[in-house]
Amino acid sequence: MVGLSDTLSTEAPVRTGLFIGGEERQTAETISVVDPAKAGVIVGEAASASADDVADAVAAAKAAYPAWSALSTAERARQMAEAIAGIADERDTDAAILSQENGKIRMEAWVDALVFEIRWNLALMIADEVDTGKTLPVMPGIPVNTEVSYQSLGVVTIIVPFNWPIAILAASLPHALLAGNTVIVKPPPSAPLATTRVVQRVAEKLPAGVLNVVTGRDENMGALIQNPDIAKVCFTGSVNGGKRIMEMAAKSLTRVTLELGGNDAAIFTEDAIIDDVHLDRLYAAIFDSTGQICMNAKRVYVHRSRMQEVVDGLSARLEKAVIGYGLDEGTTMGPLHSPVQKAFVAEIIEEAKDSGATVLEFGELPGGDLAGGNFLRPAIVVDPDPSLRVVTQEQFGPVIPILPFDTEEEAVRAANDTWGGLCGSVWTADPETATRIGSQLVCGYVWVNDHGATRLDLRAPFGGMKQSGMGREQGIEGIRAFQDTRSIGVIDPEALAAMAH
């Protein structure tokens, strides 16, 4: 990709601070950020906020809110456009840092940062829709003209996960700001460095306090959710994490948007097109970021007559996988982010083997200084018992179950028989079949003949059903999630008089 440096070196330790009220702040305590590919290697250090630091961030955002919310949407959009200008200048460095702290290959890290800018600019493109309200006119029995408009909420906290932190942040940050809110961003404690760098560069160009960044240990972060001055929390992460956020927010009646995990089903019908183009799409949908994407395909249901084609097609691609360090030339699959996740994925693969399912594993684990990293060989589990955890739980790793079906009804029932409802996909040569099956999938987003983050329409509302979350991000719906309605009713004297007779 143009702009990606082949000579970039980030061997010097990275250090990031807090950014509160327009000023960078260092802390006595820091978080050491480890390289998931190299045991014991520290990528850098991030500031570790105290409870007082968090309180200061809330106070700074609260102080900045009246002036920011009082601006016209057009003026906020203008300042936001100026703030994002030049964000790409350090993208190569951001990507290299993110690759080292996250583990994914550098190209994916580069795209992570690119999507931040794309989403930001797409939000600005709909600035003229932000203030569009409606009028409810006088009607028999209601002698009132009512204007329904929108208003911002106040101080908003946005919490992002480790896997695509910069891109995910931009699914909500520009929308919250454009709506007139001020924001505190909490990057992931295990991979805070690149995200902090990007957000601070934007925040420095906005009025002090409008955008703040706080990193640190979760135990010091409660006030980002429960402080009475926090109007809303937008959280992307695990289902269990979402439940904890919601429980904490309930104590202060803080609003929440939750974008949580998924157990996405991909359904290949009998007439599905299974050629190199579609197999490449499926492979990316499953194994991008070593399987660590919420909207990745997590279960593949294939008509029994086409099972072998899908298994063979994925196998051929996995045979070419190069497992290794994210910054190394030629690496196509990096490590899992944490030892805990590596252990979980390894466990569910072994469980599938013990059950008698056919498990195909591919690639070679790296040695040398990578021998202690969180690497796993990618795997396909063919026709497992549907009760196995590799089917019922979100793997969040490089393993995929492929299960046969005989009827369309059976496929839809199996796809919906899960706790999650984030995304899904239908693979068929028939548009009517795609619509018929897609409309029955209980999830927030459905693709046809594709699946995954690379094909997400960044203009469309995105979010989950069931335990995959609540609320929507992106688009005008994403902006409305950071607003509330205000109705102003004006009595119409003539209509009122007519009612008296």
Side-chain angles (χ1 to χ4, degrees):
M1 182 173 291
V2 176
L4 184 62
S5 170
D6 292 325
T7 60
L8 180 65
S9 172
T10 58
E11 294 179 359
V14 180
R15 175 71 184 264
T16 58
L18 313 176
F19 193 77
I20 297 173
E23 296 182 353
E24 185 174 10
R25 178 184 300 190
Q26 297 299 332
T27 57
E29 290 191 24
T30 59
I31 298 174
S32 293
V33 182
V34 300
D35 190 327
K38 298 180 178 179
V41 173
I42 302 300
V43 178
E45 292 185 336
S48 184
S50 66
D52 287 342
D53 292 321
V54 172
D56 288 348
V58 176
K62 180 182 180 181
Y65 173 70
W68 181 249
S69 61
L71 296 175
S72 67
T73 300
E75 176 58 20
R76 287 195 295 269
R78 185 192 68 77
Q79 293 193 34
M80 289 172 63
E82 292 179 354
I84 198 71
I87 196 65
D89 293 348
E90 296 186 44
R91 186 163 294 152
D92 288 0
T93 303
D94 295 333
I97 293 169
L98 181 58
S99 176
Q100 290 175 90
E101 62 179 335
N102 169 288
K104 63 185 176 183
I105 61 175
R106 183 170 59 176
M107 181 60 72
E108 289 183 337
W110 199 89
V111 171
D112 196 325
L114 172 66
V115 171
F116 181 91
E117 183 177 12
I118 293 172
R119 275 179 159 153
W120 188 283
N121 288 325
L122 285 173
L124 297 184
M125 288 175 64
I126 55 175
D128 59 353
E129 298 182 42
V130 173
D131 297 325
T132 302
K134 61 182 177 181
T135 301
L136 305 177
V138 169
M139 64 178 290
I142 305 178
V144 179
N145 278 294
T146 302
E147 295 292 333
V148 181
S149 60
Y150 296 94
Q151 58 187 320
S152 54
L153 300 177
V155 179
V156 171
T157 295
I158 301 177
I159 303 172
V160 294
F162 75 86
N163 58 338
W164 281 76
I166 307 173
I168 287 173
L169 176 60
S172 54
L173 174 58
H175 307 78
L177 292 172
L178 194 59
N181 305 283
T182 54
V183 179
I184 303 167
V185 172
K186 180 190 175 297
S190 60
L193 303 173
T195 305
T196 298
R197 284 168 46 90
V198 170
V199 177
Q200 181 168 332
R201 296 205 303 277
V202 174
E204 287 171 344
K205 297 181 180 180
L206 292 170
V210 167
L211 178 55
N212 309 272
V213 188
V214 176
T215 53
R217 294 175 174 81
D218 288 344
E219 55 264 30
N220 291 332
M221 298 292 164
L224 291 179
I225 302 164
Q226 296 178 306
N227 188 308
D229 290 325
I230 297 293
K232 179 165 185 171
V233 176
C234 184
F235 171 84
T236 302
S238 69
V239 173
N240 287 335
K243 290 178 180 178
R244 289 194 297 271
I245 295 291
M246 197 169 184
E247 182 179 2
M248 292 175 69
K251 296 177 181 178
S252 51
L253 289 181
T254 301
R255 305 173 192 216
V256 296
T257 288
L258 303 175
E259 198 272 273
L260 309 178
N263 196 19
D264 291 10
I267 298 176
F268 279 74
T269 62
E270 188 173 7
D271 71 344
I273 302 169
I274 304 176
D275 58 12
D276 283 342
V277 170
H278 290 77
L279 286 166
D280 284 347
R281 293 176 183 174
L282 178 63
Y283 178 79
I286 297 167
F287 294 105
D288 274 359
S289 293
T290 319
Q292 298 171 112
I293 302 178
C294 59
M295 68 187 84
N296 274 12
K298 308 289 171 55
R299 298 170 292 151
V300 180
Y301 293 96
V302 185
H303 190 273
R304 195 176 299 275
S305 66
R306 312 297 299 278
M307 273 280 289
Q308 199 59 50
E309 292 173 77
V310 173
V311 172
D312 290 346
L314 289 178
S315 296
R317 284 152 181 79
L318 284 169
E319 285 169 355
K320 300 175 183 177
V322 179
I323 307 168
Y325 197 55
L327 293 181
D328 287 349
E329 189 75 25
T331 295
T332 64
M333 187 175 292
L336 289 160
H337 184 62
S338 73
V340 172
Q341 189 62 21
K342 174 188 174 181
F344 169 73
V345 178
E347 187 177 287
I348 63 174
I349 291 174
E350 288 305 311
E351 182 179 83
K353 291 178 182 177
D354 293 343
S355 75
T358 298
V359 179
L360 310 175
E361 295 180 279
F362 302 87
E364 296 183 7
L365 296 177
D369 63 348
L370 303 180
N374 304 324
F375 295 96
L376 276 181
R377 298 175 68 205
I380 298 173
V381 183
V382 182
D383 194 11
D385 185 309
S387 67
L388 288 175
R389 286 187 295 167
V390 75
V391 180
T392 63
Q393 297 191 23
E394 181 178 29
Q395 311 94 2
F396 225 63
V399 56
I400 189 71
I402 302 180
L403 304 98
F405 67 87
D406 296 301
T407 68
E408 184 177 302
E409 294 74 18
E410 178 189 351
V412 171
R413 184 170 59 250
N416 287 335
D417 184 19
T418 185
W419 50 267
L422 192 57
C423 304
S425 59
V426 185
W427 304 68
T428 175
D430 181 16
E432 291 185 3
T433 299
T435 299
R436 186 175 61 252
I437 295 178
S439 64
Q440 296 178 73
L441 297 181
V442 184
C443 57
Y445 201 105
V446 177
W447 290 274
V448 176
N449 294 324
D450 210 335
H451 193 124
T454 58
R455 287 297 186 272
L456 183 70
D457 188 336
L458 302 179
R459 302 167 300 174
F462 180 80
M465 301 174 69
K466 297 192 277 190
Q467 291 192 42
S468 286
M470 61 186 69
R472 292 295 180 264
E473 298 175 313
Q474 300 186 155
I476 189 62
E477 293 85 356
I479 290 173
R480 296 289 182 245
F482 291 104
Q483 294 178 311
D484 211 338
T485 55
R486 175 191 287 115
S487 299
I488 300 179
V490 179
I491 291 290
D492 184 302
E494 293 183 8
L496 186 62
M499 285 181 63
H501 293 88

